């Protein structure tokens, strides 16, 4: 049980992290040059989008007679589809995400990516929320501040467990984690999402030391929260098997995502964050949300 004192310390720590999180996410979001609005397609709305030739089945009232009088073809005046959509993000802030070999933890990069994505989407008129928190999809600057405050919190779990229960039917969902825990819970989350007509993307965030396994000689490996400890006198002998098992796990994740109609990608924390943010926005656009 967490004591009241522990809760106060946790809240203070989260408040201390909040300004840095906002400062890191803002320029990343600002770096996204999106051109035409991502949601531009025919539908209900007030703003003119384009003319198109009329086809069988178009109602007479849909035809723009002024534009049609300029040629031998009848034209329909289409408006831009302007219905805001729901995008819900689950961001792993467990102890496993605290690993850091070069000055930036997996959890901090995941939080920065999540907040920057939320900023981009909200500025595009979408509603964004966080799963696992009391943070349903909304738009506006106040929602960004709330999302940032939630992302600044770190929990005591050894590994992250996705929280798909609050996902809205037909929404888009993004899950960002190292996915080094039980993959059955990821499979269950994807199955729940499929049952609710939800598609989206998995982003596996890893530290460069977790992909290259640079350890040699005597090494001690300890889990941050679970209490597991392993010591070896020849760490380099483990590298080949470790890299193979990591690759197998990534293959499983990719297969799970593909079977659910989702996308999967890996991001390493020593790489710039812009490409994975662009990838996420592109995936969501292709899924028909934006």
């Amino acid at each position: 049980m967490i004591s009241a004192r522990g809760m106060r310390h946790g809240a203070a720590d989260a408040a201390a992290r909040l300004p840095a999180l906002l400062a890191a996410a803002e320029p990343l979001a600002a770096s996204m040059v999106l051109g035409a609005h991502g949601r531009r397609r025919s539908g209900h709305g007030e703003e003119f989008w384009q003319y198109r030739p009329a086809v069988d089945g178009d109602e007479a009232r849909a035809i723009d007679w002024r534009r049609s009088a300029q040629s031998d073809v009848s034209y329909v005046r289409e408006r831009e589809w302007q219905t805001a959509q729901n995008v819900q993000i689950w961001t792993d802030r467990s102890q496993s995400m605290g690993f850091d070999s070069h000055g930036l933890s997996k959890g901090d990069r995941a939080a920065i990516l999540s907040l920057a994505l939320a900023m981009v989407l909200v500025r595009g008129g979408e509603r964004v929320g966080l799963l696992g928190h009391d943070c349903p999809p909304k738009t506006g600057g106040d929602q960004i501040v709330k999302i940032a405050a939630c992302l600044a919190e770190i929990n005591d779990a050894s590994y992250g467990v996705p929280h798909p229960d609050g996902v809205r039917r037909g929404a888009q969902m993004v899950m960002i984690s190292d996915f080094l825990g039980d993959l059955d819970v990821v499979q269950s989350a994807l199955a729940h999402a499929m049952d609710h007509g939800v598609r989206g993307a998995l982003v596996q965030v890893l530290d460069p030391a977790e992909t290259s396994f640079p350890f040699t000689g005597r090494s001690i490996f300890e889990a941050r929260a679970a209490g597991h400890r392993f010591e070896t006198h020849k760490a380099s002998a483990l590298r080949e098997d470790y890299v193979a098992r990591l690759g197998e796990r990534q293959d499983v994740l990719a297969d799970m995502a593909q079977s659910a109609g989702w996308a999967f990608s890996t991001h390493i924390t020593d790489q710039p964050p812009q490409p994975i943010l662009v990838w996420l926005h592109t995936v969501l656009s292709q899924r028909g949300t934006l």
Side-chain angles (χ1 to χ4, degrees):
M1 181 179 296
I2 301 176
S3 66
R5 182 179 180 182
M7 292 177 66
R8 287 195 298 270
H9 280 301
D13 289 344
R17 285 188 292 268
L18 182 56
L21 176 57
L22 286 165
E26 174 58 41
L28 177 56
S31 71
M32 290 279 288
V33 180
L34 300 178
H37 194 286
R39 285 184 287 138
R40 291 187 62 117
R41 59 182 186 269
S42 177
H44 299 292
E46 297 181 356
E47 294 187 15
F48 169 73
W49 180 30
Q50 66 177 7
Y51 290 111
R52 66 165 175 81
V55 297
D56 290 342
D58 285 331
E59 297 181 4
R61 64 182 180 181
I63 296 176
D64 188 294
W65 298 108
R66 179 176 296 180
R67 174 65 180 85
S68 301
Q70 300 174 18
S71 70
D72 296 330
V73 178
S74 295
Y75 284 93
V76 170
R77 180 185 179 94
E78 290 190 326
R79 292 179 173 86
E80 181 180 356
W81 185 66
Q82 294 179 333
T83 303
Q85 300 296 291
N86 296 316
V87 180
Q88 294 178 267
I89 305 170
W90 173 71
T91 307
D92 187 353
R93 291 296 266 156
S94 68
Q95 294 297 304
S96 175
M97 295 293 286
F99 182 69
D100 160 26
S101 70
H102 65 102
L104 178 68
S105 72
K106 296 181 290 183
D108 285 346
R109 174 54 61 83
I112 291 167
L113 282 173
S114 298
L115 183 56
L117 178 63
M119 288 176 171
V120 171
L121 294 174
V122 165
R123 289 168 185 173
E126 312 298 346
R127 294 187 294 262
V128 185
L130 285 185
L131 292 165
H133 299 270
D134 181 19
C135 189
K138 294 181 182 179
T139 190
D142 289 345
Q143 179 72 348
I144 291 299
V145 174
K146 183 174 182 179
I147 289 172
C150 292
L151 289 170
E153 300 173 2
I154 298 175
N155 63 62
D156 294 327
S158 298
Y159 296 99
V161 177
H163 295 273
D165 293 344
V167 71
R168 297 189 176 182
R169 184 170 295 277
Q172 292 277 47
M173 182 176 171
V174 174
M175 292 194 281
I176 303 179
S177 171
D178 58 10
F179 297 112
L180 295 181
D182 184 3
L183 290 184
D184 287 342
V185 298
V186 181
Q187 182 65 69
S188 296
L190 288 171
H192 181 89
M194 289 179 65
D195 289 343
H196 288 74
V198 173
R199 292 199 298 175
L202 301 177
V203 176
Q204 184 183 40
V205 177
L206 295 174
D207 186 274
E210 292 176 322
T211 59
S212 64
F213 201 83
F215 310 104
T216 59
R218 180 175 180 270
S219 301
I220 299 174
F221 302 95
E222 292 183 298
R224 292 177 61 89
H228 300 303
R229 185 177 188 273
F230 177 78
E231 180 176 354
T232 178
H233 290 275
K234 195 174 182 181
S236 58
L238 305 175
R239 183 177 298 116
E240 184 175 348
D241 288 343
Y242 168 85
V243 172
R245 291 188 64 178
L246 178 62
E248 291 170 1
R249 174 171 285 259
Q250 291 174 320
D251 289 342
V252 170
L253 283 165
D255 289 343
M256 288 166 52
Q258 183 177 24
S259 297
W262 283 44
F264 170 75
S265 186
T266 298
H267 172 70
I268 313 302
T269 57
D270 64 345
Q271 298 174 350
Q274 285 85 356
I276 192 66
L277 181 60
V278 171
W279 178 84
L280 270 171
H281 191 272
T282 301
V283 167
L284 294 175
S285 299
Q286 290 173 344
R287 294 292 189 268
T289 291
L290 309 184

